[in-house]
């Protein structure tokens, strides 16, 4: 235990040097491999990493508590891993394999790194906003009476100054303000450099004003204690003025050039043959360089003091910490240093300067002056190090079946069905219902979450009654806010929806409390938040995304809202199982599956029936529609339920000599059924395949192929079993309200001639009938395509194309 602040600072100072060295050596080591193998050198982001060495040292070795959660700026990954290594949470092997296969990741990764990364980073801006939403989710969890046995954590983001250009950060700020954000620290690494350039002058003032505007405390950490002391010397004020007026470019350049250059420039600009000259001349070149780079973000006492003060309250706080990109390295300050890599000679010089003997580069305390026992004792008592990896992730039981609204023979849309299923869940006072949390970016009512919200209420830390209700003004919706509410209403920004889903969907890992998040939005706006969606999946957050309305089927809503490519997004997005049911009973089965699937975390071999890795679980995307569709009359037995989840079932089984199969997905079901009727008399044994998930059907098929290639010759996927009895001459017409490529692969499953219909152009408004005709996905269009593809006899019910 460090007895005094001075002793603690001395230890932290040693650790900072160590961390800087280990990170530099990690990168050097990794890049050497690349240089040898391929004769090229990739950037290791040494400079970007070094910029945060002091701040991360202060945080991880002293300030952070086990319950705190951190998003570390992507390029500071080597510093982060070095710290974990010193804390005994990262293996040497992983460090030695930095950026290599199964080694420590280039950017901190929750799923791929093994040293307890809280939030992944990589796509700049997203990790930052993630901390804000995770703080809101922590409040949500605690307001519902959960996680009370654990201390409240602080959500901390290490932010690059150029990272602040990302718009999603500002969208999040606004949302945080609306929800009374607490317990959040954003620490801006104000090194005044981006990837390409040096940032604009005075940027910090814009940041300060913005954060203050949103109710944050702003703490500016510009000078370290050495500089502050120098300012108190005679002539010191002039030095301060000079620094304050120094352009960022010049400051960076002088940092790069070092002590002699500082001296020359300062004497040229300030030399007075009096106190200022004396102040400069009292210092050697090395001391002068040390003084001039003693910025707030590189000064442990300044940082510790600021964090300690901010730790006394729960107000969101933005620290603007002045730093030098490449601090402590020969790359420091150079504007081209972003991907810069130290030369072997420079690394060698750093090794010598750090007192590290050749061959002892990885030794934990090599080159440090304090006794190993002192360092051991200190590290063993670091508060953060007592954190146990992996909170329990309780499983919430899902009912055996959910409600199946809709009447056979009557019309209902999947979107309406979704609203009614949730409404039925909301009636039940079950643990399952209480763990569901819904969220929507200002489309709660228009995506049919209204009935659920009426029953379960909106969430806010402070209760607020619906004034319209209080005033007895008739309204369909009851918008009471309370800490017990289960709907988080967001502003329109879709990035925020996905980051909120990401935060809600990580609650089991962050708060040890499982939530079952359901987010709704209009399908086309998936693109607006696609990077955040990808990010949420990358860090394995678990949620159900309900996208509705979709396709051109939202016809009168207008061309701007039509979505074509989203079924392909659903197929291609790793970690997301995409479904597009046509009927409400299918939706009910899928939704039940989804509530269970999002909770799974198994690891193991694929399911032999589907070849899907279902025990691993993931998130779920439901592409729904506002189109009322006649509901089938049937009971869903276990076999059919399984096929719905597996991705497809025969709505009409093809006969032994089938000439034709029509395979459809989603809202075009009535057209596919009608086309089957038109063709049935003239095409023998026609089959009609209902596809509920092109994504799962396709994934199972490719996985089974891979299994066979590995020697599991009997591997058969669901798609292959569905088609195994189809005669070779059978043709397949596929159709959906989305890009035709979604189902275009079906012909390759068993080698059948295929024509894929769908939508390739958007923007035209009209009725559903107009638009389906326009895109050739109406019954006649499907029948025409079928007739051309399987041209045995003329189809009597076919009309010529208009
Ligand atoms: C969304 C996104 N766009 C671009 C990049 C590429 N990129 C990585 S770091 C960076 C600049 C970072 O500058 P800053 O945030 O100031 O961090 P510093 O390198 O100065 O530490 C860019 C453009 C990225 N990772 N993510
Ligand atoms: Mg920067």
């Amino acid at each position: 235990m460090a007895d005094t602040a001075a002793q603690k600072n001395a230890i932290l100072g040693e650790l900072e040097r160590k961390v800087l060295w280990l990170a530099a050596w990690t990168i050097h080591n990794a890049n050497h491999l690349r240089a040898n193998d391929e004769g090229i050198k990739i950037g290791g982001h040494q400079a970007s990493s070094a910029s945060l060495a002091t701040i991360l040292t202060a945080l991880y070795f002293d300030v952070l508590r086990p319950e705190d959660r951190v998003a570390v700026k992507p390029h500071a990954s080597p510093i982060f891993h070095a710290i974990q290594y010193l804390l005994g949470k990262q293996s040497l092997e992983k460090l030695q394999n930095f950026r290599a296969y199964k080694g420590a990741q280039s950017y901190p990764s929750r799923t791929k790194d093994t040293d307890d990364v809280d939030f992944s980073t990589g796509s700049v801006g997203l990790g930052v906003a993630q901390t804000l939403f995770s703080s809101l989710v922590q409040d949500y969890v605690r307001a519902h009476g959960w996680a009370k046995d654990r201390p409240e954590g602080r959500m901390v983001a290490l932010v690059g100054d150029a990272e602040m250009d990302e718009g999603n950060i500002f969208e999040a700020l606004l949302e945080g303000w609306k929800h009374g954000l607490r317990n959040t620290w954003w620490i801006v690494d104000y090194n005044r450099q981006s990837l390409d350039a040096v940032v604009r002058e005075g940027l910090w003032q814009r940041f300060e004003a913005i954060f203050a505007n949103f109710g944050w405390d702003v703490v500016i950490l510009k000078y370290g204690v050495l500089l502050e002391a120098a300012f108190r010397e005679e002539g010191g004020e002039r030095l301060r003025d000079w620094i304050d007026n120094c352009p960022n470019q010049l400051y960076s350049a002088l940092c790069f050039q070092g002590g002699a250059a500082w001296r020359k420039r300062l004497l040229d600009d300030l030399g007075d043959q009096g106190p200022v000259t004396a102040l400069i001349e009292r210092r050697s070149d090395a001391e002068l360089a040390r003084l001039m780079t003693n910025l707030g973000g590189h000064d442990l006492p300044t940082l510790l003091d600021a964090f300690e003060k901010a730790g006394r309250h729960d107000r969101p706080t933005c620290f603007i910490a002045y730093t030098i990109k490449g601090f402590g390295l020969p790359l420091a300050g150079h504007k081209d240093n972003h991907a810069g890599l130290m030369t072997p000679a420079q690394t060698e010089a750093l090794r010598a300067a750090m007192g590290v003997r050749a061959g002892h580069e990885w030794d934990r305390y090599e080159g440090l002056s304090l006794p190993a026992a002192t360092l051991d004792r200190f590290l063993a008592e670091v508060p953060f190090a007592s954190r146990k990896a992996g909170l329990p992730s309780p499983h919430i039981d899902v009912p055996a079946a959910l409600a199946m609204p809709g009447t056979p023979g009557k019309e209902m849309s999947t979107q309406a069905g979704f609203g009614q299923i949730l409404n039925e869940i909301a009636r039940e006072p079950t643990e399952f219902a209480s763990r569901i949390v819904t969220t929507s970016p200002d489309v709660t009512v228009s995506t049919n979450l209204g009935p659920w919200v009426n029953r379960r209420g909106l969430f806010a830390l402070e209760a607020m009654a619906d004034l319209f209700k209080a005033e007895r003004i008739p309204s369909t919706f009851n918008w009471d806010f309370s800490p017990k509410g289960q709907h988080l209403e967001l502003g329109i920004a879709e990035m925020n929806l996905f980051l909120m889903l990401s935060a809600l969907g990580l609650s089991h890992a962050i708060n040890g409390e499982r939530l079952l998040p359901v987010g709704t939005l209009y399908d086309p706006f998936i693109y607006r938040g696609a990077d955040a969606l990808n990010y949420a999946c990358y860090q394995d957050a678990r949620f159900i995304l309900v996208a509705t309305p979709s396709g051109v089927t939202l016809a009168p809503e207008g061309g701007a809202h039509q979505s074509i490519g989203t079924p392909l997004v659903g197929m291609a997005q790793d970690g997301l199982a995409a479904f597009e049911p046509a009927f409400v009973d299918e939706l009910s089965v899928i939704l039940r599956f989804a509530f269970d699937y999002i909770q799974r975390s198994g690891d193991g071999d694929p399911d032999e029936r589907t070849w899907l890795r279902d025990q691993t679980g993931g998130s779920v995307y439901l592409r729904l529609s506002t189109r009322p569709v006649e509901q089938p009359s049937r009971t869903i037995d276990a076999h059919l339920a399984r096929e719905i989840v597996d991705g497809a079932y025969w709505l009409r089984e093809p006969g032994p000599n089938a000439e034709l199969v029509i395979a459809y997905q989603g809202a075009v079901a009535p057209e596919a059924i009608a086309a089957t009727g038109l063709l049935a008399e003239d095409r023998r044994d026609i089959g009609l395949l209902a596809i509920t998930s092109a994504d799962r059907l396709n994934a199972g098929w490719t996985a089974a192929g891979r299994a066979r290639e590995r020697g599991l010759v009997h591997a058969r996927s669901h798609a292959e079993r569905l088609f195994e009895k189809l005669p070779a001459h059978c043709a397949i017409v596929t159709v959906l309200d989305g890009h035709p490529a979604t189902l275009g692969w079906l012909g390759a499953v068993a080698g059948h001639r295929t024509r894929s219909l769908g939508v390739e152009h958007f923007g035209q408004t009209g009725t559903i009938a107009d638009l389906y005709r326009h895109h050739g996905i109406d019954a006649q269009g499907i029948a025409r395509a079928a007739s051309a593809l399987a041209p045995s006899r003329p189809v009597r019910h076919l009309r010529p194309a208009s």
Side-chain angles (χ1 to χ4, degrees):
M1 178 78 185
D3 300 330
T4 63
Q7 212 173 336
K8 183 166 81 178
N9 282 342
I11 297 175
L12 290 175
E14 293 257 281
L15 291 172
E16 181 198 358
R17 274 162 57 83
K18 191 74 220 175
V19 160
L20 192 63
W21 161 253
L22 280 172
W25 184 248
T26 300
I27 296 165
H28 171 81
N29 194 58
N31 284 295
H32 249 269
L33 287 177
R34 290 291 189 95
N36 291 342
D37 290 351
E38 296 159 25
I40 51 160
K41 289 195 172 181
I42 57 153
H45 305 107
Q46 265 166 329
S48 183
S49 209
S51 190
L52 272 182
T54 328
I55 294 172
L56 287 183
T57 297
L59 286 174
Y60 279 98
F61 291 118
D62 189 56
V63 177
L64 292 177
R65 297 293 170 268
E67 58 273 18
D68 297 338
R69 302 288 177 167
V70 191
V72 176
K73 172 189 94 161
H75 292 138
S77 167
I79 294 281
F80 170 80
H81 292 306
I83 289 172
Q84 301 300 321
Y85 176 67
L86 289 175
L87 289 172
K89 291 167 181 269
Q90 175 62 292
S91 72
L92 175 58
E93 195 193 350
K94 296 259 180 205
L95 277 195
Q96 287 174 329
N97 283 311
F98 176 63
R99 285 182 169 240
Y101 186 58
K102 305 237 165 156
Q105 297 290 299
S106 325
Y107 310 133
S109 164
R110 248 185 60 72
T111 53
K112 297 287 183 278
D113 277 317
T114 49
D115 51 351
D116 208 11
V117 172
D118 294 320
F119 301 114
S120 300
T121 54
S123 175
V124 298
L126 300 181
V128 182
Q130 180 70 85
T131 58
L132 181 150
F133 287 102
S134 281
S135 180
L136 298 181
V137 170
Q138 175 175 258
D139 284 345
Y140 178 93
V141 164
R142 297 175 76 85
H144 284 76
W146 299 315
K148 287 287 199 216
D149 53 338
R150 270 189 293 280
E152 213 167 51
R154 184 166 282 116
M155 306 295 166
V156 182
L158 284 312
V159 191
D161 45 2
E163 186 168 13
M164 290 292 298
D165 287 336
E166 289 290 357
N168 80 277
I169 293 181
F170 300 93
E171 296 175 9
L173 268 180
L174 184 50
E175 203 60 53
W177 170 76
K178 291 184 205 164
H179 290 270
L181 179 71
R182 307 158 61 234
N183 291 320
T184 304
W185 285 1
W186 286 358
I187 304 167
V188 180
D189 177 7
Y190 198 59
N191 61 22
R192 289 145 292 141
Q193 283 186 250
S194 64
L195 195 161
D196 286 338
V198 174
V199 305
R200 292 280 180 284
E201 299 303 323
L203 187 61
W204 66 273
Q205 288 160 311
R206 313 297 127 209
F207 292 163
E208 185 184 36
I210 289 166
F211 280 94
N213 237 330
F214 286 110
W216 289 51
D217 282 15
V218 182
V219 179
I220 298 186
L221 304 170
K222 185 160 186 184
Y223 306 116
V225 290
L226 294 182
L227 274 171
E228 291 286 5
F231 298 154
R232 285 192 296 272
E233 292 174 26
E234 207 183 338
E237 275 309 314
R238 291 202 47 215
L239 178 65
R240 182 204 293 268
D241 289 345
W242 183 90
I243 296 178
D244 285 346
N245 289 313
C246 182
N248 290 334
Q249 285 244 26
L250 177 60
Y251 211 92
S252 288
L254 290 169
C255 285
F256 176 73
Q257 289 168 304
W262 279 115
R263 182 180 310 281
K264 177 164 187 330
R265 184 70 196 213
L266 288 173
L267 287 175
D268 283 354
D269 286 1
L270 292 175
D272 59 355
Q273 302 308 321
V276 183
T277 300
L279 188 155
I280 296 163
E281 295 295 11
R282 266 198 296 281
R283 289 157 168 97
S284 67
D285 280 358
E287 284 168 343
L288 196 57
R290 178 136 183 269
L291 176 71
M292 297 305 286
T293 56
N294 176 239
L295 302 182
H298 294 304
D299 191 70
L300 282 164
T302 303
L303 289 168
L304 295 178
D305 182 56
F307 292 144
E308 193 277 322
K309 287 200 178 99
R312 295 181 201 161
H313 60 78
D314 67 359
R315 290 189 298 281
T317 304
C318 172
F319 302 88
I320 298 176
Y322 276 71
T323 55
I324 291 158
K325 191 158 170 173
F327 178 70
L329 305 178
L331 310 167
H334 197 294
K335 70 182 172 58
D336 304 340
N337 67 7
H338 184 80
L341 180 66
M342 293 196 304
T343 63
Q346 286 173 323
T347 307
E348 186 57 28
L350 186 68
R351 190 177 64 69
M354 292 284 183
V356 172
R357 289 165 297 161
H360 292 263
E361 289 85 356
W362 298 109
D363 293 2
R364 288 171 91 215
Y365 301 148
E366 176 74 7
L368 303 187
S369 60
L370 291 167
T374 308
L375 293 166
D376 275 343
R377 223 171 21 247
F378 179 84
L379 288 176
E381 287 178 14
V382 164
F384 174 80
S386 68
R387 180 206 277 200
K388 309 261 177 304
L391 289 170
S393 305
H395 183 275
I396 307 300
D397 287 339
V398 179
L402 301 180
M404 266 187 206
T407 312
K410 294 265 167 56
E411 291 189 338
M412 184 181 264
S413 71
T414 45
Q415 179 181 306
F418 164 72
Q420 292 195 20
I421 295 170
L422 271 193
N423 186 32
E424 291 306 316
I425 295 172
R427 285 177 198 277
E428 304 293 334
T430 57
E431 172 75 354
F432 166 65
S434 76
R435 293 280 170 161
I436 294 176
V437 48
T438 55
T439 184
S440 186
D442 204 27
V443 289
T444 299
V445 170
S446 50
T447 56
N448 268 26
L449 275 176
W452 159 268
V453 175
N454 278 346
R455 289 188 192 281
R456 292 280 166 165
L458 291 115
F459 173 75
L461 286 173
E462 312 231 330
M464 188 171 64
D466 184 336
L467 191 113
F468 277 69
K469 194 174 83 177
E471 292 289 324
R472 297 178 195 283
I473 300 172
S475 157
T476 320
F477 300 105
N478 167 17
W479 284 59
D480 282 336
F481 289 82
S482 86
K484 293 283 166 262
Q486 283 180 248
H487 176 73
L488 282 155
E489 180 68 8
L490 297 173
I492 309 171
E494 284 77 14
M495 289 299 263
N496 284 342
L497 169 74
F498 288 110
L499 290 166
M500 177 61 99
L501 286 174
S502 178
L504 292 166
L506 286 176
S507 176
H508 54 284
I510 301 295
N511 303 302
E513 295 289 346
R514 170 87 58 186
L515 298 174
L516 304 174
V518 179
T520 66
L521 89 166
Y522 294 175
D523 194 57
F525 304 131
I526 281 181
Y527 289 122
R528 177 72 74 105
D531 193 27
L533 168 62
N534 183 53
Y535 172 69
C537 292
Y538 171 62
Q539 52 177 356
D540 203 23
R542 300 302 181 82
F543 52 86
I544 299 172
L545 178 66
V546 180
T548 177
S550 59
V552 296
T553 307
L554 51 67
E557 287 255 1
H561 284 16
Q562 294 167 350
S563 61
I564 295 176
T566 47
L568 294 171
V569 172
M571 287 179 86
Q573 180 61 57
D574 190 16
L576 192 68
F579 292 89
E580 187 170 4
F583 303 112
V584 175
D585 55 4
E586 296 169 354
L587 172 66
S588 172
V589 168
I590 291 166
L591 202 51
R592 194 230 156 256
F593 167 79
F595 279 119
D596 185 63
Y597 184 75
I598 61 171
Q599 300 189 58
R600 297 181 191 174
S601 62
D603 222 1
D605 294 331
D607 180 308
E608 293 210 1
R609 187 169 44 82
T610 57
W611 292 92
L612 293 168
R613 289 174 44 218
D614 269 358
Q615 60 279 60
T616 319
S619 288
V620 173
Y621 159 33
L622 305 177
R623 188 175 190 248
L624 303 187
S625 174
T626 38
R627 181 188 190 191
V629 168
E630 186 181 317
Q631 299 298 305
S633 169
R634 59 184 172 186
T635 45
I636 299 216
D637 59 14
H639 175 76
L640 179 53
R642 209 171 61 193
E643 293 207 309
I644 288 170
V645 168
D646 289 349
Y649 63 92
W650 289 113
L651 200 55
R652 172 179 168 145
E653 186 115 23
N657 291 309
E659 289 179 86
L660 187 69
V661 160
I662 294 176
Y664 76 90
Q665 174 170 285
V668 295
E671 282 64 33
I673 293 168
T676 308
L678 292 176
L679 292 157
E681 290 173 34
D682 301 306
R683 291 292 177 278
R684 201 159 4 136
D685 288 355
I686 186 168
L688 180 60
L689 186 67
I691 296 176
T692 47
S693 173
D695 180 22
R696 284 170 59 81
L697 209 54
N698 179 269
W701 173 56
T702 54
R706 265 196 310 275
R708 285 194 293 273
E709 287 149 23
R710 287 199 315 269
L712 298 167
V713 291
H714 299 300
R716 283 287 170 283
S717 64
H718 185 48
E720 288 161 320
R721 270 197 312 278
L722 285 167
F723 287 171
E724 73 193 347
K725 290 201 204 115
L726 285 189
H729 66 261
C730 183
I732 303 175
V733 174
T734 71
V735 58
L736 82 156
D737 176 7
H739 197 276
T742 310
L743 298 175
W745 54 277
L746 276 175
V749 171
H752 292 98
R753 227 157 58 250
T754 299
R755 167 90 168 96
S756 292
L757 306 177
V759 178
E760 288 165 282
H761 305 287
F762 72 118
Q764 178 59 54
T765 193
T767 63
I768 292 176
D770 290 336
L771 295 181
Y772 281 12
R773 199 176 336 106
H774 178 79
H775 294 290
I777 56 173
D778 58 336
Q780 285 286 329
I782 297 169
R784 260 195 309 277
S787 156
L789 188 67
S792 55
R793 285 177 299 283
V795 175
R796 273 164 276 175
H797 298 292
L798 211 57
R799 290 196 304 271
S802 53

